[in-house]
Amino acid sequence: MPESNFPTLSRAMDWLMSLKHPILFLLIIGVLIRLVVMASSMVYDLDYWAVVIRNIEAGNGLYEAEGYYYTPVWGYILGLISSIQEYVLCLGEIAVRVIEAFPVEYIPSLAFIYSVKIPLMFFDIVMAFLSMAIVRDYTSDDRKSVLAFALTFLCPVLFLSSAMIGMPDTIAVVFALMTVLLVRKNHPFFAGMTFSLAVLTKFFPAFFIFVLVVYLLMRNRNSRSEGLHQITMAVLGATLMTLLIFLPQILEGNLESCFRFLTDRVNASSGGSLFLTIANTSRVLVYVVVLVLSVVIAIMMYRRRDRDPYAQLVGACFLIATLCLIYPPTTQYMVIIVPFLAIWAASRDSRYVYSWIIMAIGSLIYVYATNALTLMPLAVWTDMLSIDTVMDIFNWSNTTMVGPVSLRSLQFIVGGVLQCIGVVSVLFFMFEDKIRRIIRRERQLPSSDSSEGWE
């Protein structure tokens, strides 16, 4: 890794590796950050999970009452959290209606917020260890693997998604990383099971399917039957896990409700405003393009006979995850790129830390553009702030104009643009040598670069 580009990072790593237990130190720092951030919340999303849990506690199935529109995996986890809350924690009232807090109105309790977010923190920890394991497996370098752990676990994108917003994207990415490691360790059946869990939590990992299949074929070039056998085992694992996930809904006759989020998006696109129609249509078009490109990437990967199949697999997943974010991403969606960015920055090229920094700053600005509303649980459930103070700050950010837009809107725009710049910078670093070669060729100058691209 060319750490000379980042002397400060190199010195920090020297100090970190001098500690007796560097991972323990990083864990303590990351956990403390999350415990503080958890007190501030995107209250709309947390109240959404409170509605789901209230429905479960009322004896309804996951889809029997309005309020849950995702596939079942996260719903089952919320059901487990509900059981712990009811039989172990005894939280009492989990949300109250606060008229002054419009437009969010319902404010979840701090106890409820922590009970939902702490399990997500557990998945953050697992993700960091998986990133470390992938780097150590590939490089056998403790220093690089610790850096991968740090860049994953301390990434603001990750802790804002799980500890602040409270979204389950981290769970999907954990199972996606487990899939990569399991195919590497020659466990295709279990890899199929974790792949199913990843896709049925959040859909983005589905785009990895072609490169995963190609990797199994590449690894068994000398025995096509063995490659096909491993693919078959992976399909069986995925099929079994999918049936287990949907079985309760099949028995209850609610299978079509598991995919309501797809039909709801279509209905919103056809019946909403022109802007919403264009936004939803363009999102679908982008994902169709990403699907086609993931097939192309898989074909290119298979043709590269002289390169390490495992490095190509991780690089291809990194590229596909980045392409998924070309459509202007919200912070929680960007979680899919975090471990791959950390792995690549730690093991291949430290310049990717620039992308990490840009995404980190962008996500902080973007998420906290909700401004004082994120502090509403502290105002409602503690004496630290008053509701009036929080709403005054919120209204001030909405009415203070910076040119043609409000201060809050400007924060959204700046944060969103920085997130997009971070994504584009990843693509630039991936293909910089190829771009430079093309420019030199057009200028008819000799080129001595040897680009590895995303491999």
Side-chain angles (χ1 to χ4, degrees):
M1 182 179 68
E3 287 185 349
S4 57
N5 295 335
F6 289 93
T8 303
L9 176 63
S10 182
R11 287 195 296 269
M13 283 304 300
D14 289 340
W15 174 81
L16 184 62
M17 295 304 293
S18 70
L19 299 178
K20 187 174 182 180
H21 300 292
I23 295 299
L24 179 60
F25 172 80
L26 292 171
L27 273 173
I28 292 172
I29 296 299
V31 168
L32 288 176
I33 291 172
R34 282 165 171 79
L35 291 176
V36 172
V37 171
M38 284 178 190
S40 63
S41 288
M42 198 78 73
V43 289
Y44 175 82
D45 292 306
L46 265 296
D47 182 58
Y48 185 56
W49 307 140
V51 169
V52 177
I53 287 177
R54 281 195 294 263
N55 287 339
I56 293 172
E57 291 176 349
N60 297 315
L62 198 55
Y63 298 97
E64 287 182 18
E66 291 294 320
Y68 189 75
Y69 304 98
Y70 290 83
T71 48
V73 177
W74 177 232
Y76 296 154
I77 295 174
L78 289 175
L80 177 61
I81 291 172
S82 173
S83 298
I84 295 172
Q85 291 174 354
E86 185 175 358
Y87 297 108
V88 179
L89 300 179
C90 302
L91 298 184
E93 196 168 19
I94 62 177
V96 295
R97 188 180 187 187
V98 181
I99 301 299
E100 302 94 325
F102 183 81
V104 291
E105 195 168 352
Y106 285 94
I107 308 299
S109 70
L110 287 173
F112 173 78
I113 288 170
Y114 275 87
S115 70
V116 171
K117 291 181 177 179
I118 286 176
L120 292 176
M121 181 177 69
F122 167 77
F123 282 98
D124 284 358
I125 294 171
V126 174
M127 185 191 300
F129 274 110
L130 289 171
S131 300
M132 184 176 73
I134 289 174
V135 171
R136 180 173 289 166
D137 186 41
Y138 178 62
T139 67
S140 301
D141 188 316
D142 288 340
R143 179 186 174 93
K144 292 180 179 180
S145 62
V146 170
L147 178 57
F149 184 97
L151 291 174
T152 300
F153 193 52
L154 300 182
C155 183
V157 173
L158 186 58
F159 66 69
L160 287 172
S161 175
S162 58
M164 198 281 202
I165 305 174
M167 293 297 285
D169 297 67
T170 184
I171 300 173
V173 180
V174 162
F175 286 122
L177 291 176
M178 290 178 66
T179 302
V180 171
L181 273 175
L182 285 167
V183 295
R184 165 71 164 174
K185 299 297 184 181
N186 204 24
H187 299 295
F189 181 80
F190 295 109
M193 297 180 76
T194 55
F195 182 73
S196 174
L197 284 167
V199 173
L200 293 177
T201 305
K202 282 282 187 167
F203 193 67
F204 288 132
F207 294 108
F208 296 164
I209 186 169
F210 303 108
V211 295
L212 288 167
V213 169
V214 162
Y215 172 75
L216 293 175
L217 294 174
M218 291 172 67
R219 195 175 60 184
N220 296 280
R221 287 186 188 274
N222 298 327
S223 178
R224 181 174 297 181
S225 61
E226 177 61 23
L228 292 175
H229 170 73
Q230 292 192 3
I231 291 172
T232 301
M233 293 302 294
V235 171
L236 288 174
T239 302
L240 175 61
M241 181 56 70
T242 301
L243 287 174
L244 290 175
I245 290 170
F246 287 122
L247 183 60
Q249 313 311 322
I250 293 173
L251 295 176
E252 293 177 5
N254 291 325
L255 183 60
E256 71 284 353
S257 299
C258 298
F259 304 97
R260 192 185 301 170
F261 70 99
L262 292 174
T263 58
D264 283 352
R265 286 186 183 272
V266 173
N267 293 335
S269 177
S270 61
S273 65
L274 177 61
F275 175 79
L276 187 60
T277 300
I278 294 173
N280 286 330
T281 303
S282 60
R283 180 188 288 113
V284 173
L285 290 176
V286 167
Y287 293 155
V288 170
V289 171
V290 173
L291 181 65
V292 173
L293 288 176
S294 32
V295 174
V296 173
I297 292 166
I299 293 171
M300 293 173 61
M301 178 177 159
Y302 187 76
R303 290 177 176 174
R304 294 180 174 182
R305 293 176 174 269
D306 58 333
R307 299 181 182 177
D308 179 8
Y310 185 50
Q312 288 196 71
L313 172 62
V314 178
C317 289
F318 185 19
L319 175 56
I320 292 168
T322 306
L323 293 173
C324 288
L325 301 177
I326 290 298
Y327 184 88
T330 56
T331 299
Q332 66 266 26
Y333 292 168
M334 296 183 67
V335 169
I336 192 171
I337 201 176
V338 168
F340 295 106
L341 181 59
I343 290 165
W344 226 240
S347 64
R348 300 296 292 267
D349 190 342
S350 62
R351 294 179 305 165
Y352 285 95
V353 173
Y354 288 125
S355 304
W356 189 96
I357 293 171
I358 295 170
M359 290 180 188
I361 296 172
S363 64
L364 284 165
I365 295 173
Y366 187 87
V367 170
Y368 281 102
T370 54
N371 220 311
L373 287 184
T374 59
L375 301 175
M376 190 58 73
L378 289 172
V380 174
W381 295 91
T382 75
D383 296 325
M384 295 177 64
L385 293 164
S386 72
I387 296 173
D388 289 340
T389 299
V390 171
M391 291 309 300
D392 285 344
I393 299 173
F394 175 72
N395 292 329
W396 172 80
S397 69
N398 272 316
T399 56
T400 301
M401 302 303 292
V402 182
V405 298
S406 68
L407 178 60
R408 181 167 177 255
S409 297
L410 181 62
Q411 284 183 265
F412 272 123
I413 294 169
V414 172
V417 168
L418 284 174
Q419 288 182 154
C420 290
I421 291 173
V423 172
V424 172
S425 70
V426 169
L427 294 174
F428 174 77
F429 290 137
M430 284 182 177
F431 298 103
E432 179 183 6
D433 289 340
K434 285 182 171 60
I435 294 170
R436 292 183 184 276
R437 270 213 308 270
I438 292 172
I439 293 173
R440 288 193 180 98
R441 190 178 300 124
E442 290 180 351
R443 293 177 177 175
Q444 297 183 343
L445 293 176
S447 171
S448 59
D449 287 340
S450 176
S451 172
E452 293 294 329
W454 47 263
E455 184 266 335

